[in-house]
Amino acid sequence: MILCRIDGSSIEAHELTFSQLSFGKEGGSVNFNYEIIFAKDSFIEKLIPFYDEGVEELREDDGITGEFEPPYPGATNYPSLSDFLDIENRFLYEYLYAYHKFDILSLVLSEDNNESGYIINTLESIDSADENIVIKGVALKRERY
């Protein structure tokens, strides 16, 4: 299950897009709050290949530098994605935002879709709540819509 909302109203996923090149930049359009809700199991299944590949790259870097930067205070290793989803959300957000924000958006959205009425501008939170993953941020309404 994947739900998309703009200012609380349900929309179809194809009505949202994102662009790595314009992500986070000021736009002349009207801002709207968006929300993407994934079933936790589906989120894990879709993101795990990207997450595991990223962890492997970090381990290789750690081996080269001899330093380990824990993804959350007290971590002695990189947790599995499913374990990480159960850890306090601020650390989950910081880690996933730093390494996987575009991977996450691409799980449900087409990048640079010219037919979409809204383009995601920010990704402000990733929360694990009950059996869902809730992603929130700001989207811009395209001028022609």
Side-chain angles (χ1 to χ4, degrees):
M1 167 203 80
I2 298 173
L3 299 172
C4 298
R5 294 186 182 129
I6 291 286
D7 281 351
S9 297
S10 292
I11 63 168
E12 297 294 323
H14 66 64
E15 296 178 67
L16 275 171
T17 190
F18 69 99
S19 173
Q20 290 186 40
L21 294 175
S22 65
F23 191 82
K25 295 183 180 167
E26 290 292 322
S29 300
V30 179
N31 291 343
F32 292 85
N33 294 318
Y34 76 86
E35 189 174 62
I36 301 172
I37 302 169
F38 289 88
K40 191 181 282 189
D41 292 343
S42 174
F43 181 82
I44 291 169
E45 179 183 322
K46 291 178 181 216
L47 188 61
I48 204 161
F50 300 105
Y51 179 86
D52 287 349
E53 181 180 327
V55 165
E56 196 54 43
E57 289 174 13
L58 288 171
R59 284 184 176 134
E60 288 175 17
D61 289 348
D62 293 349
I64 292 168
T65 64
E67 296 179 20
F68 168 69
E69 187 174 327
Y72 59 90
T76 58
N77 202 344
Y78 297 99
S80 70
L81 180 57
S82 125
D83 288 344
F84 210 164
L85 293 175
D86 292 331
I87 294 169
E88 197 264 309
N89 287 330
R90 181 175 61 94
F91 303 113
L92 174 69
Y93 167 75
E94 290 171 0
Y95 182 88
L96 292 180
Y97 184 88
Y99 297 107
H100 298 291
K101 65 183 162 282
F102 297 123
D103 295 331
I104 291 168
L105 293 174
S106 70
L107 296 179
V108 67
L109 307 176
S110 298
E111 185 174 1
D112 295 322
N113 178 357
N114 291 326
E115 301 303 313
S116 298
Y118 299 91
I119 185 163
I120 289 180
N121 191 47
T122 67
L123 193 160
E124 297 176 2
S125 68
I126 302 170
D127 292 313
S128 178
D130 300 319
E131 293 302 313
N132 294 317
I133 301 298
V134 180
I135 296 164
K136 295 180 181 179
V138 173
L140 305 173
K141 186 168 186 173
R142 290 197 164 150
E143 300 283 333
R144 65 180 187 268
Y145 290 92

